Amino acid sequence: AQSVSQHNHHVILSEAASLELGCNYSYGGTVNLFWYVQYPGQHLQLLLKYFSGDPLVKGIKGFEAEFIKSKFSFNLRKPSVQWSDTAEYFCAVNAYSSASKIIFGSGTRLSIRP
Amino acid sequence: DSGVTQTPKHLITATGQRVTLRCSPRSGDLSVYWYQQSLDQGLQFLIQYYNGEERAKGNILERFSAQQFPDLHSELNLSSLELGDSALYFCASQGQGNNEQFFGPGTRLTVL
């Protein structure tokens, strides 16, 4: 069965620090990959997505993610975080064979110290 | 604003009761997904409907059921409510050929 792992449950950083959140998935075929963000008290919003092409994907608010097929990974990065990045981040995977069902990771809570 | 609407925003009820949560997808989207988000379980996929038919089932309890109507809005019915059912319930819609899901604002259910 497909699964998505986010190993960091809670990450605490200071403003201007660099961020990398890990995401690994288990599926050997073609996948679409997503990162969603949930700001406190709000619904999930799409940060970025990878369908095909350049494995380095740029999203909104300065976020980027790199798809490394050999490592089954899609890590999220930001060179310099801001206090407003405090949120929960979810990695998600859709495998072409799964009738459009998207599997979400358990989420990583990011806290930024001002 | 994602274009997905959910009502009500908040719901407070007692154990043993039954509630109905409503979701209207983005215009033209045929797929509706329901998720439960709680502090201890995280984001859990419950069920998916596509154009009125059940397409996929996740960790949905037998006390819960859903349906999608001809106008594509969906309802999630939760019955014999327990304290542990207190959570945020999100619905998301998805268009054909586009695997991105758009989430609604959620319904916060509190069971007392």
Side-chain angles (χ1 to χ4, degrees):
Chain A
Q2 301 154 47
S3 65
V4 179
S5 297
Q6 291 181 248
H7 303 293
N8 311 109
H9 296 295
H10 189 191
V11 172
I12 303 173
L13 294 172
S14 297
E15 274 197 308
S18 65
L19 169 72
E20 181 158 4
L21 301 182
C23 172
N24 288 90
Y25 64 92
S26 64
Y27 181 71
T30 304
V31 291
N32 295 331
L33 299 157
F34 309 85
W35 275 97
Y36 282 84
V37 61
Q38 186 179 26
Y39 296 104
Q42 295 189 27
H43 61 280
L44 276 77
Q45 304 168 51
L46 186 71
L47 259 185
L48 48 79
K49 61 187 176 186
Y50 171 80
F51 283 6
S52 63
D54 187 346
L56 185 61
V57 180
K58 300 226 183 272
I60 60 171
K61 305 189 181 189
F63 286 91
E64 64 179 32
E66 185 174 12
F67 170 48
I68 303 180
K69 192 173 180 181
S70 60
K71 294 185 178 179
F72 299 91
S73 71
F74 190 55
N75 291 355
L76 181 70
R77 301 196 291 247
K78 186 170 182 178
S80 175
V81 294
Q82 302 171 301
W83 180 79
S84 58
D85 293 324
T86 295
E88 187 142 17
Y89 293 80
F90 294 90
C91 178
V93 174
N94 166 241
Y96 271 29
S97 68
S98 69
S100 296
K101 189 171 80 172
I102 294 182
I103 310 292
F104 282 85
S106 55
T108 296
R109 188 154 63 98
L110 176 64
S111 300
I112 305 296
R113 291 189 290 250
Chain B
D1 183 5
S2 66
V4 179
T5 60
Q6 286 186 251
T7 56
K9 204 167 180 178
H10 300 279
L11 199 48
I12 302 174
T13 188
T15 54
Q17 295 298 305
R18 174 189 167 95
V19 297
T20 297
L21 313 184
R22 184 189 166 102
C23 167
S24 291
R26 290 188 321 153
S27 176
D29 284 357
L30 300 179
S31 273
V32 170
Y33 298 74
W34 284 99
Y35 295 88
Q36 179 195 58
Q37 186 179 37
S38 60
L39 280 173
D40 54 343
Q41 300 275 349
L43 188 67
Q44 300 261 334
F45 164 69
L46 295 178
I47 196 163
Q48 177 204 358
Y49 276 81
Y50 177 83
N51 202 20
E53 293 192 4
E54 183 184 303
R55 179 63 74 91
K57 244 178 175 173
N59 300 324
I60 187 164
L61 300 171
E62 282 191 18
R63 300 183 285 109
F64 296 0
S65 65
Q67 51 186 327
Q68 187 178 27
F69 295 87
D71 68 352
L72 301 177
H73 91 270
S74 177
E75 292 181 355
L76 179 67
N77 302 297
L78 315 176
S79 60
S80 303
L81 285 168
E82 301 175 0
L83 295 177
D85 298 328
S86 295
L88 259 172
Y89 290 85
F90 288 106
C91 95
S93 79
Q94 181 176 21
Q96 258 184 316
N98 179 343
N99 285 305
E100 176 184 344
Q101 291 187 7
F102 294 86
F103 281 78
T107 293
R108 182 172 291 282
L109 173 67
T110 303
V111 182
L112 301 174

